[in-house]
Short mmCIF file of all heavy atoms in Angstrom, two decimals:
data_model
loop_
_atom_site.label_atom_id
_atom_site.label_comp_id
_atom_site.label_asym_id
_atom_site.label_seq_id
_atom_site.Cartn_x
_atom_site.Cartn_y
_atom_site.Cartn_z
N ARG Q 305 -35.18 158.28 11.10
CA ARG Q 305 -35.80 158.98 9.96
C ARG Q 305 -37.07 159.72 10.37
O ARG Q 305 -37.35 160.80 9.87
CB ARG Q 305 -36.09 157.98 8.86
CG ARG Q 305 -34.85 157.72 8.03
CD ARG Q 305 -34.99 156.48 7.21
NE ARG Q 305 -35.90 156.67 6.09
CZ ARG Q 305 -36.34 155.65 5.35
NH1 ARG Q 305 -35.98 154.42 5.64
NH2 ARG Q 305 -37.15 155.87 4.34
N GLU Q 309 -37.69 163.69 10.15
CA GLU Q 309 -38.82 164.25 9.42
C GLU Q 309 -39.51 165.34 10.25
O GLU Q 309 -39.92 166.36 9.73
CB GLU Q 309 -39.81 163.11 9.18
CG GLU Q 309 -40.57 163.18 7.89
CD GLU Q 309 -41.20 161.83 7.64
OE1 GLU Q 309 -40.48 160.87 7.35
OE2 GLU Q 309 -42.42 161.76 7.75
N ILE Q 310 -39.58 165.10 11.56
CA ILE Q 310 -40.28 166.05 12.42
C ILE Q 310 -39.42 167.27 12.73
O ILE Q 310 -39.86 168.41 12.56
CB ILE Q 310 -40.72 165.34 13.72
CG1 ILE Q 310 -41.88 164.39 13.39
CG2 ILE Q 310 -41.11 166.34 14.78
CD1 ILE Q 310 -42.18 163.42 14.47
N MET Q 312 -37.04 168.51 11.16
CA MET Q 312 -36.76 169.33 9.99
C MET Q 312 -37.79 170.44 9.80
O MET Q 312 -37.46 171.52 9.31
CB MET Q 312 -36.79 168.44 8.77
CG MET Q 312 -35.69 168.71 7.83
SD MET Q 312 -35.69 167.40 6.66
CE MET Q 312 -35.66 168.36 5.19
N ILE Q 313 -39.03 170.18 10.16
CA ILE Q 313 -40.05 171.22 9.95
C ILE Q 313 -40.39 171.94 11.23
O ILE Q 313 -41.32 172.72 11.27
CB ILE Q 313 -41.34 170.63 9.33
CG1 ILE Q 313 -41.18 169.19 8.96
CG2 ILE Q 313 -41.75 171.42 8.11
CD1 ILE Q 313 -42.37 168.60 8.30
N LEU Q 314 -39.63 171.71 12.28
CA LEU Q 314 -39.87 172.50 13.50
C LEU Q 314 -39.41 173.93 13.25
O LEU Q 314 -38.41 174.15 12.57
CB LEU Q 314 -39.06 171.93 14.67
CG LEU Q 314 -39.66 170.76 15.42
CD1 LEU Q 314 -38.75 170.40 16.58
CD2 LEU Q 314 -41.04 171.08 15.93
N PRO Q 315 -40.14 174.90 13.79
CA PRO Q 315 -39.70 176.29 13.61
C PRO Q 315 -38.47 176.56 14.47
O PRO Q 315 -38.57 176.78 15.68
CB PRO Q 315 -40.89 177.11 14.08
CG PRO Q 315 -41.70 176.20 14.92
CD PRO Q 315 -41.39 174.79 14.53
N LEU Q 317 -36.10 179.00 14.60
CA LEU Q 317 -35.83 180.30 15.20
C LEU Q 317 -36.71 180.59 16.42
O LEU Q 317 -36.21 181.00 17.46
CB LEU Q 317 -35.93 181.40 14.15
CG LEU Q 317 -35.42 182.75 14.60
CD1 LEU Q 317 -33.99 182.66 15.06
CD2 LEU Q 317 -35.54 183.77 13.50
N PRO Q 318 -38.05 180.38 16.32
CA PRO Q 318 -38.86 180.62 17.51
C PRO Q 318 -38.41 179.80 18.71
O PRO Q 318 -38.42 180.28 19.84
CB PRO Q 318 -40.26 180.21 17.05
CG PRO Q 318 -40.27 180.44 15.60
CD PRO Q 318 -38.88 180.11 15.14
N ILE Q 319 -37.98 178.54 18.47
CA ILE Q 319 -37.52 177.73 19.59
C ILE Q 319 -36.25 178.33 20.18
O ILE Q 319 -36.10 178.45 21.40
CB ILE Q 319 -37.32 176.28 19.14
CG1 ILE Q 319 -38.68 175.64 18.89
CG2 ILE Q 319 -36.55 175.49 20.19
CD1 ILE Q 319 -38.64 174.25 18.38
N ILE Q 321 -35.45 181.41 20.10
CA ILE Q 321 -35.86 182.62 20.79
C ILE Q 321 -36.32 182.29 22.20
O ILE Q 321 -35.95 182.95 23.18
CB ILE Q 321 -37.00 183.32 20.01
CG1 ILE Q 321 -36.45 183.93 18.73
CG2 ILE Q 321 -37.68 184.37 20.87
CD1 ILE Q 321 -37.51 184.49 17.83
N MET Q 322 -37.12 181.20 22.32
CA MET Q 322 -37.61 180.84 23.65
C MET Q 322 -36.47 180.43 24.56
O MET Q 322 -36.44 180.80 25.73
CB MET Q 322 -38.63 179.71 23.53
CG MET Q 322 -39.89 180.19 22.87
SD MET Q 322 -41.21 179.01 22.91
CE MET Q 322 -41.34 178.65 24.59
N LEU Q 325 -34.68 183.47 25.65
CA LEU Q 325 -35.47 184.32 26.52
C LEU Q 325 -35.62 183.73 27.92
O LEU Q 325 -35.47 184.41 28.92
CB LEU Q 325 -36.84 184.50 25.88
CG LEU Q 325 -37.56 185.79 26.16
CD1 LEU Q 325 -36.67 186.95 25.81
CD2 LEU Q 325 -38.82 185.84 25.33
N PHE Q 326 -35.91 182.42 27.97
CA PHE Q 326 -36.25 181.82 29.25
C PHE Q 326 -35.05 181.23 29.98
O PHE Q 326 -35.09 181.04 31.17
CB PHE Q 326 -37.31 180.74 29.06
CG PHE Q 326 -38.61 181.28 28.54
CD1 PHE Q 326 -39.30 180.63 27.54
CD2 PHE Q 326 -39.13 182.45 29.05
CE1 PHE Q 326 -40.49 181.13 27.05
CE2 PHE Q 326 -40.31 182.96 28.57
CZ PHE Q 326 -40.99 182.30 27.57
N TYR Q 327 -33.99 180.87 29.25
CA TYR Q 327 -32.86 180.24 29.94
C TYR Q 327 -31.63 181.13 29.94
O TYR Q 327 -31.29 181.72 30.94
CB TYR Q 327 -32.55 178.88 29.32
CG TYR Q 327 -33.67 177.92 29.53
CD1 TYR Q 327 -34.63 177.75 28.55
CD2 TYR Q 327 -33.80 177.23 30.72
CE1 TYR Q 327 -35.69 176.89 28.75
CE2 TYR Q 327 -34.85 176.38 30.93
CZ TYR Q 327 -35.80 176.22 29.95
OH TYR Q 327 -36.84 175.39 30.15
N LEU Q 349 -30.23 162.72 5.30
CA LEU Q 349 -30.70 161.87 4.20
C LEU Q 349 -29.59 161.61 3.18
O LEU Q 349 -29.42 160.48 2.71
CB LEU Q 349 -31.90 162.52 3.51
CG LEU Q 349 -33.13 162.66 4.38
CD1 LEU Q 349 -34.25 163.34 3.60
CD2 LEU Q 349 -33.59 161.30 4.87
N PRO Q 399 -21.62 179.79 6.92
CA PRO Q 399 -22.25 181.11 6.83
C PRO Q 399 -23.65 181.14 7.41
O PRO Q 399 -24.02 182.11 8.08
CB PRO Q 399 -22.31 181.39 5.33
CG PRO Q 399 -21.44 180.41 4.69
CD PRO Q 399 -21.18 179.30 5.63
N PHE Q 403 -24.82 183.82 10.22
CA PHE Q 403 -25.97 184.72 10.08
C PHE Q 403 -27.04 184.42 11.13
O PHE Q 403 -27.78 185.32 11.53
CB PHE Q 403 -26.56 184.62 8.68
CG PHE Q 403 -25.81 185.44 7.68
CD1 PHE Q 403 -25.00 184.85 6.73
CD2 PHE Q 403 -25.90 186.81 7.71
CE1 PHE Q 403 -24.31 185.61 5.83
CE2 PHE Q 403 -25.20 187.58 6.81
CZ PHE Q 403 -24.40 186.99 5.87
N THR Q 407 -28.90 187.04 13.34
CA THR Q 407 -30.35 187.11 13.37
C THR Q 407 -30.85 187.20 14.80
O THR Q 407 -31.70 188.04 15.13
CB THR Q 407 -30.94 185.86 12.68
OG1 THR Q 407 -30.43 185.77 11.36
CG2 THR Q 407 -32.45 185.91 12.65
N VAL Q 410 -30.09 190.58 16.26
CA VAL Q 410 -30.95 191.64 15.76
C VAL Q 410 -32.30 191.61 16.46
O VAL Q 410 -32.94 192.63 16.67
CB VAL Q 410 -31.11 191.51 14.22
CG1 VAL Q 410 -32.20 192.41 13.72
CG2 VAL Q 410 -29.81 191.87 13.55
N LEU Q 411 -32.73 190.41 16.87
CA LEU Q 411 -33.98 190.31 17.61
C LEU Q 411 -33.81 190.72 19.07
O LEU Q 411 -34.76 190.66 19.85
CB LEU Q 411 -34.50 188.88 17.56
CG LEU Q 411 -35.15 188.49 16.24
CD1 LEU Q 411 -35.42 187.00 16.22
CD2 LEU Q 411 -36.44 189.26 16.05
N LEU Q 425 -25.54 195.65 14.69
CA LEU Q 425 -26.67 195.89 13.79
C LEU Q 425 -27.92 196.21 14.59
O LEU Q 425 -28.70 197.09 14.23
CB LEU Q 425 -26.91 194.67 12.91
CG LEU Q 425 -25.96 194.46 11.75
CD1 LEU Q 425 -26.29 193.18 11.02
CD2 LEU Q 425 -26.04 195.63 10.79
N TYR Q 429 -29.95 199.54 14.45
CA TYR Q 429 -31.33 199.53 13.99
C TYR Q 429 -32.27 200.16 14.98
O TYR Q 429 -33.13 200.95 14.62
CB TYR Q 429 -31.77 198.10 13.64
CG TYR Q 429 -32.54 198.17 12.38
CD1 TYR Q 429 -31.87 198.25 11.17
CD2 TYR Q 429 -33.91 198.29 12.40
CE1 TYR Q 429 -32.56 198.41 10.00
CE2 TYR Q 429 -34.60 198.46 11.23
CZ TYR Q 429 -33.93 198.52 10.04
OH TYR Q 429 -34.60 198.71 8.89
N LEU Q 434 -30.34 204.14 9.92
CA LEU Q 434 -30.59 204.38 8.50
C LEU Q 434 -31.39 205.66 8.30
O LEU Q 434 -31.26 206.32 7.29
CB LEU Q 434 -31.32 203.19 7.87
CG LEU Q 434 -30.49 201.93 7.70
CD1 LEU Q 434 -31.31 200.84 7.05
CD2 LEU Q 434 -29.26 202.20 6.87
N PHE Q 435 -32.25 205.99 9.27
CA PHE Q 435 -33.04 207.22 9.15
C PHE Q 435 -32.15 208.44 9.33
O PHE Q 435 -32.31 209.44 8.68
CB PHE Q 435 -34.13 207.28 10.23
CG PHE Q 435 -35.21 206.27 10.05
CD1 PHE Q 435 -35.18 205.09 10.76
CD2 PHE Q 435 -36.26 206.51 9.18
CE1 PHE Q 435 -36.17 204.16 10.60
CE2 PHE Q 435 -37.25 205.58 9.01
CZ PHE Q 435 -37.22 204.40 9.72
N TYR Q 439 -24.85 205.69 8.25
CA TYR Q 439 -24.75 204.45 7.47
C TYR Q 439 -23.55 203.60 7.89
O TYR Q 439 -23.61 202.38 7.83
CB TYR Q 439 -24.63 204.78 5.99
CG TYR Q 439 -25.78 205.61 5.47
CD1 TYR Q 439 -25.56 206.68 4.61
CD2 TYR Q 439 -27.08 205.31 5.84
CE1 TYR Q 439 -26.62 207.45 4.15
CE2 TYR Q 439 -28.14 206.07 5.40
CZ TYR Q 439 -27.90 207.14 4.55
OH TYR Q 439 -28.94 207.89 4.11
N VAL Q 442 -24.23 200.73 10.25
CA VAL Q 442 -24.86 199.53 9.72
C VAL Q 442 -23.92 198.82 8.75
O VAL Q 442 -23.79 197.60 8.77
CB VAL Q 442 -26.16 199.90 8.97
CG1 VAL Q 442 -26.80 198.68 8.37
CG2 VAL Q 442 -27.12 200.60 9.90
N LEU Q 443 -23.27 199.62 7.90
CA LEU Q 443 -22.52 199.01 6.80
C LEU Q 443 -21.30 198.23 7.26
O LEU Q 443 -21.00 197.19 6.70
CB LEU Q 443 -22.10 200.11 5.81
CG LEU Q 443 -23.22 200.52 4.88
CD1 LEU Q 443 -22.76 201.63 3.96
CD2 LEU Q 443 -23.69 199.34 4.05
N ALA Q 446 -22.19 194.87 8.56
CA ALA Q 446 -22.83 194.15 7.45
C ALA Q 446 -21.78 193.67 6.46
O ALA Q 446 -21.85 192.53 5.96
CB ALA Q 446 -23.86 195.04 6.76
N LEU Q 449 -19.93 190.73 7.90
CA LEU Q 449 -20.77 189.54 7.84
C LEU Q 449 -20.78 188.97 6.42
O LEU Q 449 -20.63 187.77 6.21
CB LEU Q 449 -22.21 189.88 8.24
CG LEU Q 449 -22.56 189.80 9.71
CD1 LEU Q 449 -23.93 190.39 9.96
CD2 LEU Q 449 -22.57 188.35 10.16
N THR Q 450 -20.96 189.87 5.44
CA THR Q 450 -20.99 189.43 4.05
C THR Q 450 -19.69 188.74 3.68
O THR Q 450 -19.69 187.67 3.06
CB THR Q 450 -21.17 190.63 3.10
OG1 THR Q 450 -22.14 191.49 3.68
CG2 THR Q 450 -21.61 190.21 1.74
N ALA Q 457 -18.77 180.35 1.86
CA ALA Q 457 -19.66 179.82 0.82
C ALA Q 457 -18.88 179.56 -0.46
O ALA Q 457 -19.06 178.52 -1.11
CB ALA Q 457 -20.79 180.81 0.56
N PHE Q 461 -18.44 175.89 -2.14
CA PHE Q 461 -18.91 175.56 -3.49
C PHE Q 461 -17.80 174.90 -4.30
O PHE Q 461 -18.02 173.93 -5.01
CB PHE Q 461 -19.40 176.82 -4.19
CG PHE Q 461 -20.88 176.99 -4.09
CD1 PHE Q 461 -21.48 177.12 -2.85
CD2 PHE Q 461 -21.67 177.01 -5.22
CE1 PHE Q 461 -22.84 177.27 -2.73
CE2 PHE Q 461 -23.05 177.16 -5.12
CZ PHE Q 461 -23.63 177.29 -3.88
N ARG Q 465 -17.42 170.87 -5.75
CA ARG Q 465 -17.13 170.43 -7.11
C ARG Q 465 -15.94 169.49 -7.15
O ARG Q 465 -15.90 168.57 -7.96
CB ARG Q 465 -16.85 171.64 -7.99
CG ARG Q 465 -18.13 172.28 -8.44
CD ARG Q 465 -17.97 173.74 -8.66
NE ARG Q 465 -19.26 174.25 -9.07
CZ ARG Q 465 -19.58 174.47 -10.33
NH1 ARG Q 465 -18.71 174.26 -11.29
NH2 ARG Q 465 -20.78 174.92 -10.64
N GLY Q 473 -18.95 169.33 -14.42
CA GLY Q 473 -19.25 169.86 -15.75
C GLY Q 473 -20.30 170.96 -15.72
O GLY Q 473 -20.45 171.69 -16.70
N LEU Q 474 -21.04 171.07 -14.62
CA LEU Q 474 -22.21 171.95 -14.64
C LEU Q 474 -21.92 173.31 -14.04
O LEU Q 474 -21.29 173.41 -13.04
CB LEU Q 474 -23.36 171.30 -13.88
CG LEU Q 474 -23.82 170.00 -14.51
CD1 LEU Q 474 -24.80 169.29 -13.61
CD2 LEU Q 474 -24.48 170.27 -15.85
N ARG B 54 -49.17 162.20 4.89
CA ARG B 54 -48.33 163.38 5.07
C ARG B 54 -48.97 164.34 6.07
O ARG B 54 -48.30 164.91 6.92
CB ARG B 54 -48.11 164.10 3.74
CG ARG B 54 -47.18 163.38 2.80
CD ARG B 54 -45.81 163.23 3.40
NE ARG B 54 -45.18 164.53 3.69
CZ ARG B 54 -44.19 164.67 4.54
NH1 ARG B 54 -43.72 163.65 5.20
NH2 ARG B 54 -43.67 165.86 4.75
N THR B 57 -48.47 163.13 9.56
CA THR B 57 -47.09 163.36 10.01
C THR B 57 -46.91 164.81 10.41
O THR B 57 -46.29 165.11 11.44
CB THR B 57 -46.11 163.06 8.86
OG1 THR B 57 -46.53 161.88 8.22
CG2 THR B 57 -44.71 162.90 9.38
N LEU B 58 -47.48 165.71 9.60
CA LEU B 58 -47.30 167.13 9.89
C LEU B 58 -48.02 167.53 11.16
O LEU B 58 -47.52 168.33 11.94
CB LEU B 58 -47.77 167.96 8.70
CG LEU B 58 -46.82 167.87 7.52
CD1 LEU B 58 -47.45 168.43 6.28
CD2 LEU B 58 -45.53 168.61 7.84
N THR B 61 -45.95 166.56 13.88
CA THR B 61 -44.85 167.52 13.99
C THR B 61 -45.28 168.76 14.76
O THR B 61 -44.58 169.22 15.66
CB THR B 61 -44.39 167.95 12.60
OG1 THR B 61 -44.14 166.80 11.84
CG2 THR B 61 -43.14 168.79 12.69
N GLY B 65 -43.84 170.05 18.18
CA GLY B 65 -43.25 171.39 18.24
C GLY B 65 -43.86 172.21 19.36
O GLY B 65 -43.16 172.85 20.15
N ALA B 69 -42.29 173.60 22.84
CA ALA B 69 -42.36 175.01 23.23
C ALA B 69 -42.87 175.13 24.65
O ALA B 69 -42.36 175.91 25.45
CB ALA B 69 -43.28 175.76 22.27
N ILE B 72 -40.14 174.02 27.06
CA ILE B 72 -39.10 175.05 27.18
C ILE B 72 -39.61 176.21 28.02
O ILE B 72 -38.96 176.67 28.95
CB ILE B 72 -38.65 175.56 25.80
CG1 ILE B 72 -37.98 174.43 25.02
CG2 ILE B 72 -37.69 176.72 25.95
CD1 ILE B 72 -37.65 174.80 23.61
N ALA B 73 -40.82 176.67 27.68
CA ALA B 73 -41.35 177.83 28.38
C ALA B 73 -41.54 177.52 29.85
O ALA B 73 -41.30 178.36 30.71
CB ALA B 73 -42.67 178.26 27.76
N GLY B 75 -39.83 175.52 31.60
CA GLY B 75 -38.57 175.27 32.28
C GLY B 75 -38.34 176.31 33.36
O GLY B 75 -37.85 176.04 34.43
N TYR B 78 -42.75 179.42 33.48
CA TYR B 78 -43.47 180.57 32.91
C TYR B 78 -44.90 180.25 32.54
O TYR B 78 -45.77 181.10 32.67
CB TYR B 78 -42.71 181.12 31.71
CG TYR B 78 -41.45 181.81 32.09
CD1 TYR B 78 -40.22 181.21 31.91
CD2 TYR B 78 -41.50 183.06 32.69
CE1 TYR B 78 -39.07 181.83 32.29
CE2 TYR B 78 -40.34 183.70 33.08
CZ TYR B 78 -39.13 183.09 32.88
OH TYR B 78 -37.99 183.71 33.28
N TYR B 198 -26.62 177.67 -21.31
CA TYR B 198 -25.60 177.06 -20.46
C TYR B 198 -24.20 177.51 -20.88
O TYR B 198 -23.84 177.43 -22.04
CB TYR B 198 -25.74 175.54 -20.54
CG TYR B 198 -24.57 174.81 -19.96
CD1 TYR B 198 -24.25 174.96 -18.62
CD2 TYR B 198 -23.78 173.97 -20.73
CE1 TYR B 198 -23.19 174.31 -18.07
CE2 TYR B 198 -22.71 173.31 -20.20
CZ TYR B 198 -22.42 173.48 -18.85
OH TYR B 198 -21.35 172.83 -18.32
N PRO B 211 -23.37 181.57 -3.94
CA PRO B 211 -23.04 181.60 -2.51
C PRO B 211 -23.67 182.77 -1.74
O PRO B 211 -23.79 182.70 -0.52
CB PRO B 211 -21.51 181.72 -2.49
CG PRO B 211 -21.07 181.20 -3.79
CD PRO B 211 -22.15 181.56 -4.76
N ALA B 214 -26.35 182.57 1.17
CA ALA B 214 -26.11 182.18 2.56
C ALA B 214 -26.68 183.23 3.50
O ALA B 214 -27.04 182.93 4.63
CB ALA B 214 -24.62 182.02 2.81
N ALA B 215 -26.81 184.47 3.04
CA ALA B 215 -27.33 185.53 3.90
C ALA B 215 -28.85 185.50 3.89
O ALA B 215 -29.46 185.26 2.86
CB ALA B 215 -26.83 186.89 3.42
N PRO B 216 -29.47 185.73 5.05
CA PRO B 216 -30.93 185.70 5.13
C PRO B 216 -31.56 186.94 4.50
O PRO B 216 -30.87 187.93 4.24
CB PRO B 216 -31.21 185.65 6.63
CG PRO B 216 -30.01 186.25 7.26
CD PRO B 216 -28.86 185.97 6.36
N TRP B 218 -33.49 189.31 5.59
CA TRP B 218 -33.46 190.61 6.29
C TRP B 218 -32.16 191.33 6.03
O TRP B 218 -32.10 192.56 6.02
CB TRP B 218 -33.68 190.45 7.79
CG TRP B 218 -32.66 189.64 8.52
CD1 TRP B 218 -32.76 188.32 8.83
CD2 TRP B 218 -31.40 190.06 9.05
NE1 TRP B 218 -31.64 187.90 9.50
CE2 TRP B 218 -30.79 188.95 9.67
CE3 TRP B 218 -30.72 191.28 9.08
CZ2 TRP B 218 -29.55 189.01 10.28
CZ3 TRP B 218 -29.48 191.33 9.70
CH2 TRP B 218 -28.91 190.21 10.29
N PHE B 219 -31.09 190.56 5.81
CA PHE B 219 -29.79 191.15 5.59
C PHE B 219 -29.80 191.96 4.30
O PHE B 219 -29.30 193.08 4.23
CB PHE B 219 -28.76 190.04 5.54
CG PHE B 219 -27.35 190.52 5.58
CD1 PHE B 219 -26.85 191.07 6.74
CD2 PHE B 219 -26.54 190.43 4.48
CE1 PHE B 219 -25.55 191.50 6.80
CE2 PHE B 219 -25.24 190.86 4.52
CZ PHE B 219 -24.74 191.41 5.68
N ILE B 222 -31.73 195.27 4.68
CA ILE B 222 -30.99 196.43 5.18
C ILE B 222 -30.36 197.20 4.02
O ILE B 222 -30.47 198.41 3.92
CB ILE B 222 -29.90 195.98 6.17
CG1 ILE B 222 -30.55 195.52 7.46
CG2 ILE B 222 -28.92 197.10 6.44
CD1 ILE B 222 -29.56 195.09 8.51
N ILE B 225 -33.08 198.93 1.92
CA ILE B 225 -33.57 200.15 2.59
C ILE B 225 -32.55 201.27 2.42
O ILE B 225 -32.89 202.40 2.09
CB ILE B 225 -33.82 199.88 4.09
CG1 ILE B 225 -34.99 198.94 4.27
CG2 ILE B 225 -34.10 201.19 4.83
CD1 ILE B 225 -35.27 198.61 5.71
N LEU B 226 -31.29 200.90 2.62
CA LEU B 226 -30.23 201.91 2.52
C LEU B 226 -30.23 202.55 1.14
O LEU B 226 -30.17 203.78 1.01
CB LEU B 226 -28.88 201.24 2.80
CG LEU B 226 -27.66 202.14 2.70
CD1 LEU B 226 -27.72 203.19 3.79
CD2 LEU B 226 -26.38 201.35 2.85
N ALA B 230 -33.19 205.28 1.95
CA ALA B 230 -32.37 206.32 2.57
C ALA B 230 -31.66 207.19 1.53
O ALA B 230 -31.71 208.40 1.60
CB ALA B 230 -31.35 205.69 3.51
N PHE B 237 -39.33 203.47 4.02
CA PHE B 237 -38.43 202.71 4.88
C PHE B 237 -39.08 201.42 5.37
O PHE B 237 -38.43 200.41 5.54
CB PHE B 237 -38.05 203.55 6.10
CG PHE B 237 -36.94 204.51 5.84
CD1 PHE B 237 -37.20 205.79 5.40
CD2 PHE B 237 -35.63 204.13 6.06
CE1 PHE B 237 -36.17 206.67 5.17
CE2 PHE B 237 -34.59 205.01 5.84
CZ PHE B 237 -34.86 206.29 5.38
N TYR B 277 -29.63 178.47 -9.58
CA TYR B 277 -28.45 177.66 -9.86
C TYR B 277 -28.76 176.18 -9.73
O TYR B 277 -28.45 175.38 -10.62
CB TYR B 277 -27.32 178.05 -8.91
CG TYR B 277 -26.18 177.08 -8.83
CD1 TYR B 277 -25.36 176.85 -9.92
CD2 TYR B 277 -25.93 176.37 -7.66
CE1 TYR B 277 -24.32 175.94 -9.84
CE2 TYR B 277 -24.91 175.47 -7.57
CZ TYR B 277 -24.10 175.25 -8.67
OH TYR B 277 -23.08 174.35 -8.59
N THR B 281 -29.34 173.34 -12.81
CA THR B 281 -28.59 172.08 -12.84
C THR B 281 -29.54 170.90 -13.04
O THR B 281 -29.26 170.00 -13.84
CB THR B 281 -27.80 171.92 -11.54
OG1 THR B 281 -27.12 173.13 -11.28
CG2 THR B 281 -26.81 170.81 -11.63
N LEU B 324 -37.39 173.06 1.02
CA LEU B 324 -36.26 173.37 1.90
C LEU B 324 -36.00 174.88 1.95
O LEU B 324 -35.74 175.45 3.00
CB LEU B 324 -35.00 172.63 1.43
CG LEU B 324 -35.06 171.12 1.56
CD1 LEU B 324 -33.81 170.49 0.99
CD2 LEU B 324 -35.25 170.72 3.01
N THR B 331 -37.98 181.07 8.59
CA THR B 331 -37.10 181.42 9.71
C THR B 331 -36.66 182.88 9.60
O THR B 331 -36.65 183.61 10.59
CB THR B 331 -35.87 180.51 9.71
OG1 THR B 331 -36.32 179.17 9.82
CG2 THR B 331 -34.94 180.82 10.84
N VAL B 335 -37.21 188.32 11.40
CA VAL B 335 -36.37 189.52 11.38
C VAL B 335 -36.71 190.40 10.19
O VAL B 335 -36.63 191.62 10.28
CB VAL B 335 -34.89 189.13 11.38
CG1 VAL B 335 -34.02 190.35 11.57
CG2 VAL B 335 -34.62 188.15 12.48
N VAL B 339 -37.23 194.32 10.46
CA VAL B 339 -36.43 195.30 9.74
C VAL B 339 -37.34 196.25 8.95
O VAL B 339 -37.10 197.45 8.90
CB VAL B 339 -35.43 194.58 8.81
CG1 VAL B 339 -34.85 195.53 7.79
CG2 VAL B 339 -34.32 193.97 9.62
N ILE B 353 -40.66 189.76 22.55
CA ILE B 353 -39.35 189.49 23.16
C ILE B 353 -38.92 190.68 24.00
O ILE B 353 -38.51 190.54 25.13
CB ILE B 353 -38.30 189.23 22.07
CG1 ILE B 353 -38.57 187.90 21.38
CG2 ILE B 353 -36.90 189.21 22.66
CD1 ILE B 353 -37.69 187.68 20.18
N PHE B 356 -40.97 190.84 27.04
CA PHE B 356 -41.02 189.59 27.79
C PHE B 356 -42.46 189.15 28.03
O PHE B 356 -42.86 188.88 29.16
CB PHE B 356 -40.29 189.74 29.12
CG PHE B 356 -39.65 188.47 29.55
CD1 PHE B 356 -38.35 188.17 29.18
CD2 PHE B 356 -40.34 187.54 30.29
CE1 PHE B 356 -37.76 186.99 29.56
CE2 PHE B 356 -39.75 186.35 30.67
CZ PHE B 356 -38.46 186.08 30.30
N THR B 358 -44.73 186.44 27.83
CA THR B 358 -44.70 184.99 27.63
C THR B 358 -45.86 184.44 26.80
O THR B 358 -45.63 183.70 25.85
CB THR B 358 -44.65 184.26 28.98
OG1 THR B 358 -43.77 184.96 29.82
CG2 THR B 358 -44.20 182.84 28.80
N ILE B 361 -45.35 185.08 23.18
CA ILE B 361 -44.23 184.35 22.59
C ILE B 361 -44.62 182.90 22.32
O ILE B 361 -44.38 182.38 21.23
CB ILE B 361 -42.99 184.43 23.51
CG1 ILE B 361 -42.47 185.87 23.52
CG2 ILE B 361 -41.91 183.50 23.03
CD1 ILE B 361 -41.45 186.12 24.56
N VAL B 365 -44.80 180.97 18.61
CA VAL B 365 -44.18 179.68 18.28
C VAL B 365 -45.22 178.74 17.69
O VAL B 365 -44.98 178.08 16.67
CB VAL B 365 -43.52 179.05 19.53
CG1 VAL B 365 -42.94 177.70 19.19
CG2 VAL B 365 -42.46 179.95 20.09
N LEU B 372 -45.50 176.76 9.10
CA LEU B 372 -44.48 175.94 8.45
C LEU B 372 -45.10 174.63 7.99
O LEU B 372 -44.89 174.19 6.85
CB LEU B 372 -43.36 175.68 9.46
CG LEU B 372 -41.97 175.59 8.91
CD1 LEU B 372 -41.63 176.87 8.20
CD2 LEU B 372 -40.99 175.36 10.05
N VAL B 376 -45.49 173.27 4.10
CA VAL B 376 -44.96 171.99 3.64
C VAL B 376 -46.09 171.09 3.14
O VAL B 376 -45.96 170.39 2.13
CB VAL B 376 -44.17 171.31 4.78
CG1 VAL B 376 -43.75 169.92 4.39
CG2 VAL B 376 -42.96 172.14 5.12
N SER B 399 -38.86 158.70 1.63
CA SER B 399 -38.53 158.55 3.04
C SER B 399 -39.41 159.47 3.87
O SER B 399 -39.88 160.46 3.39
CB SER B 399 -37.07 158.91 3.27
OG SER B 399 -36.81 160.17 2.69
#
Side-chain angles (χ1 to χ4, degrees):
Chain Q
R305 278 164 73 191
E309 214 165 291
I310 287 166
M312 223 169 130
I313 353 183
L314 277 183
L317 191 57
I319 289 177
I321 289 173
M322 292 188 54
L325 210 54
F326 297 136
Y327 294 96
L349 295 179
F403 278 107
T407 303
V410 169
L411 283 171
L425 283 178
Y429 223 81
L434 289 181
F435 292 98
Y439 303 137
V442 178
L443 280 178
L449 271 170
T450 318
F461 264 61
R465 279 151 181 261
L474 297 171
Chain B
R54 288 298 299 160
T57 317
L58 287 167
T61 309
I72 295 174
Y78 289 104
Y198 167 61
W218 62 264
F219 191 70
I222 289 182
I225 292 179
L226 179 65
F237 277 90
Y277 165 66
T281 312
L324 293 177
T331 301
V335 188
V339 165
I353 290 172
F356 212 90
T358 319
I361 291 169
V365 178
L372 214 59
V376 173
S399 51

